[in-house]
Amino acid sequence: MNFLTKSNEDYLEAILILEEKYDRVLSVNIAKFLNVSKPGVNRAMNILKENGLIEKTDYSEITLTTKGRELANQVYDKHKTIKSFLIQLGVSEETAENDCCLIEHVISNETYEKMKLFLKKETAN
Amino acid sequence: MNFLTKSNEDYLEAILILEEKYDRVLSVNIAKFLNVSKPGVNRAMNILKENGLIEKTDYSEITLTTKGRELANQVYDKHKTIKSFLIQLGVSEETAENDCCLIEHVISNETYEKMKLFLKKETAN
DNA sequence: ACGAAAAGTTAACATATGTTAACATTTTCC
DNA sequence: GGAAAATGTTAACATATGTTAACTTTTCGT
């Protein structure tokens, strides 16, 4: 799907989620949201920036570029779809949330498509 | 489920699979099977040995201990169940094989149980 | 506006995992 | 039995990712 590592995909996704929730996104918010250290966030932001996915200067807040927002949305959509799929399977909301974070990084597009198909069928009833 | 990393779980599983197929398991077979280098196998074997999961001396073949075999079977069972689940979902055999290798390392027990339940229901028809 | 608190950065370190190159040992086969 | 091939090991390196400690910059409150 893209050129980011799992970890950086998570950072990117977190920015989108936090942006929807608050007016601006600070490193410290990402750190708290993902339960990682501030230097961890800092390094990830540099990588996202190098890849043209966010805009940021030293000590500034973080904003998604158009490209970054698109990619983040793709990742987040996948996240939400897999979560719904797991819930449909009978998994609890909490576990679904945890597991989908991990599954979203490893499954093929084919499996992802089949999950969407399954959801469509089940929801039709 | 256990104390091994994903990677070492893969190495352990590979030993079980190769053991079923051939009379004895050599490092080079594992390297070919997993598509990794010989030093990679060597290091992993040392870790498995330290954890009492395999028996091996320098330059010797590799055998699973009772504990190692049990754990390998647990991992492999999970592998096979997830693969069946994906195939039941409509995923191709090849993709199912690839994806289950990755999924098996990340899903919770709860999700795993739901997959088994789903399979049981579907197979009942 | 200034000092304290909060946030961000940098440097140094740790671990997991993969690699290649070089070397050691074992196996195979004439 | 000895040389060549196969296999195994070690060392050195690379990358991804997380950490803590120390420092810098910004923000906030009075």
Side-chain angles (χ1 to χ4, degrees), chain A:
Chain A
M1 178 168 170
N2 67 65
F3 46 90
L4 293 180
T5 61
K6 302 174 206 298
S7 163
N8 289 326
E9 239 177 58
D10 280 334
Y11 282 107
L12 185 67
E13 190 184 31
I15 297 170
L16 182 73
I17 293 170
L18 292 169
E19 197 191 49
E20 284 177 359
K21 220 181 208 166
Y22 307 106
D23 51 335
R24 50 196 213 123
V25 180
L26 301 180
S27 287
V28 71
N29 304 139
I30 300 172
K32 278 170 191 160
F33 183 74
L34 293 178
N35 252 300
V36 292
S37 66
K38 291 187 293 172
V41 176
N42 195 266
R43 183 168 44 200
M45 293 310 107
N46 285 329
I47 292 166
L48 295 181
K49 188 180 166 186
E50 278 162 23
N51 282 284
L53 301 170
I54 63 168
E55 275 178 31
K56 175 178 182 303
T57 53
D58 263 22
Y59 298 97
S60 86
E61 65 188 274
I62 295 150
T63 56
L64 290 166
T65 62
T66 303
K67 186 180 160 199
R69 184 179 310 281
E70 265 170 32
L71 187 49
N73 267 310
Q74 276 176 47
V75 174
Y76 193 35
D77 283 349
K78 197 166 190 176
H79 176 104
K80 288 182 287 191
T81 299
I82 295 170
K83 183 173 174 180
S84 297
F85 174 82
L86 292 176
I87 288 173
Q88 196 70 43
L89 237 203
V91 175
S92 71
E93 207 273 343
E94 199 189 332
T95 304
E97 177 60 35
N98 283 324
D99 282 11
C100 74
C101 288
L102 304 170
I103 294 174
E104 65 182 303
H105 299 299
V106 303
I107 65 168
S108 64
N109 223 60
E110 185 185 342
T111 296
Y112 179 48
E113 291 301 324
K114 296 299 179 185
M115 285 183 178
K116 284 198 276 192
L117 216 62
F118 176 85
L119 268 177
K120 202 179 279 178
K121 273 190 224 160
E122 295 294 313
T123 326
N125 300 334

Side-chain angles (χ1 to χ4, degrees), chain B residues 9-60:
Chain B
E9 239 176 58
D10 280 334
Y11 282 107
L12 185 67
E13 191 184 31
I15 297 169
L16 183 72
I17 292 169
L18 291 168
E19 196 191 50
E20 284 177 359
K21 220 182 209 164
Y22 307 106
D23 50 337
R24 52 198 211 121
V25 179
L26 301 181
S27 287
V28 71
N29 303 138
I30 299 172
K32 279 171 191 159
F33 184 73
L34 294 179
N35 252 299
V36 292
S37 65
K38 290 186 294 171
V41 176
N42 195 266
R43 183 168 44 200
M45 292 309 109
N46 285 330
I47 293 167
L48 295 181
K49 188 180 166 186
E50 277 163 23
N51 282 286
L53 301 171
I54 63 167
E55 275 179 30
K56 175 178 180 307
T57 54
D58 263 22
Y59 298 98
S60 86

